[in-house]
Amino acid sequence: PLSIHVARTRRLMNSLVIARATTHLTQHQLAQEVGISRTALSAIESGKSVPSVGTALVLAEVLGVSVHDIFRVDTLQDA
């Protein structure tokens, strides 16, 4: 029998840019409302940084959506 190891990697995906656009907030405005820097928000939006649970909850509250509406985990498989 042939055994193949499959590596699984999880990646946090987000739709923050879309959610932010629907509220007509700039990065600066949203960052101020949430209590983080614009640089931190930019890193979260681009996927370079993962927000804390608290930050994710506040982002969702300010944007008027649920955390599940803006964040999801994708599983990637490498054979």
Side-chain angles (χ1 to χ4, degrees):
L2 180 61
S3 175
I4 299 174
H5 173 71
V6 177
R8 294 181 182 190
T9 305
R10 289 189 172 95
R11 177 177 59 184
L12 183 67
M13 304 296 293
N14 75 69
S15 57
L16 271 175
V17 174
I18 295 166
R20 183 171 54 79
T22 62
T23 63
H24 305 288
L25 292 172
T26 65
Q27 278 187 338
H28 180 76
Q29 291 168 324
L30 180 56
Q32 277 190 317
E33 287 285 324
V34 173
I36 61 176
S37 69
R38 190 208 56 80
T39 305
L41 178 60
S42 177
I44 294 168
E45 285 185 348
S46 67
K48 293 179 182 174
S49 179
V50 176
S52 69
V53 172
T55 298
L57 289 168
V58 175
L59 280 165
E61 182 179 319
V62 170
L63 293 170
V65 297
S66 75
V67 172
H68 296 288
D69 290 335
I70 51 177
F71 295 103
R72 71 179 188 284
V73 176
D74 281 354
T75 302
L76 307 172
Q77 291 186 2
D78 297 324

